[in-house]
Amino acid sequence: MAKENKTMDEIHRGLLKKYHTLCTVLGLDDEAKRAILTSWGVESSRDLTQHQLIDICGKLSAQVDEKQGTARLDKLRKQVIAAIGGWLRETGQKQSLSIIKGIAMRASGYADFNKIPRERLRNLIATFNNKVKDARAVDALTDAMLMQHYSAGGEIDPTLN
């Protein structure tokens, strides 16, 4: 029985630690933490039961996921803009934010740039970055082949760099 109580105490301490970590991640001040505790009818987080802590941590975790998920999507959208902008520059085309977003929407099949899901954004980043890398590699190869032709004055061997 003593071992069972020790395990329950460890679980409770772990949940308390998680609760306080989530509050910190969300940037909750003392007043906001007090409001949470008051809504559960307690004055201290130590007075919460394990079930209450599990419920609260679940709700706070969802808020953290929402907060961080949005930030990650914004970062991916900026990377898509940079990748498509880089491709437009590499190919000597006119670029603007509306053109870039239009290309992203058309390439992904979505009518709203902000509705493109995470995986599609990642695919667009990779695709347009690879297009730039491939174009540069092809340019370098053709330049090397031309140099080989003019310096050797004969047949071109594309396997030589």
Side-chain angles (χ1 to χ4, degrees):
M1 184 75 176
K3 186 176 183 179
E4 185 177 305
N5 285 340
K6 182 180 178 190
T7 305
M8 296 298 271
D9 288 343
E10 289 173 3
I11 293 169
H12 195 262
R13 276 195 303 273
L15 287 168
L16 277 171
K17 183 177 180 183
K18 182 174 182 175
Y19 164 75
H20 287 287
T21 301
L22 290 167
C23 288
T24 301
V25 168
L26 287 169
L28 300 181
D29 59 9
D30 288 339
E31 188 177 322
K33 291 181 206 174
R34 235 184 331 275
I36 291 172
L37 296 174
T38 303
S39 72
W40 288 89
V42 297
E43 291 183 22
S44 169
S45 58
R46 285 174 289 218
D47 297 332
L48 292 166
T49 67
Q50 288 182 16
H51 293 290
Q52 289 172 326
L53 282 167
I54 290 169
D55 288 344
I56 293 169
C57 288
K59 291 173 184 171
L60 293 175
S61 289
Q63 290 179 18
V64 168
D65 288 345
E66 185 178 318
K67 180 179 172 184
Q68 291 179 344
T70 301
R72 283 190 219 119
L73 279 175
D74 286 344
K75 184 177 179 184
L76 286 173
R77 286 186 194 105
K78 288 175 184 173
Q79 289 174 333
V80 166
I81 290 167
I84 294 173
W87 175 74
L88 289 171
R89 277 189 302 282
E90 187 70 26
T91 57
Q93 298 183 58
K94 180 181 171 190
Q95 57 181 324
S96 70
L97 189 56
S98 60
I99 290 172
I100 291 170
K101 285 183 175 182
I103 290 170
M105 291 183 300
R106 190 167 178 187
S108 67
Y110 284 81
D112 183 346
F113 181 73
N114 292 325
K115 299 290 184 200
I116 301 172
R118 179 177 281 112
E119 279 309 308
R120 298 292 287 170
L121 291 170
R122 286 190 182 116
N123 290 343
L124 290 171
I125 293 164
T127 300
F128 281 95
N129 282 341
N130 285 336
K131 284 187 159 299
V132 170
K133 287 178 195 172
D134 291 345
R136 289 179 181 164
V138 168
D139 287 346
L141 173 64
T142 56
D143 289 348
M145 289 174 67
L146 285 173
M147 289 300 291
Q148 181 184 0
H149 173 73
Y150 289 124
S151 63
E155 205 172 295
I156 300 173
D157 184 359
T159 60
L160 299 177
N161 287 331

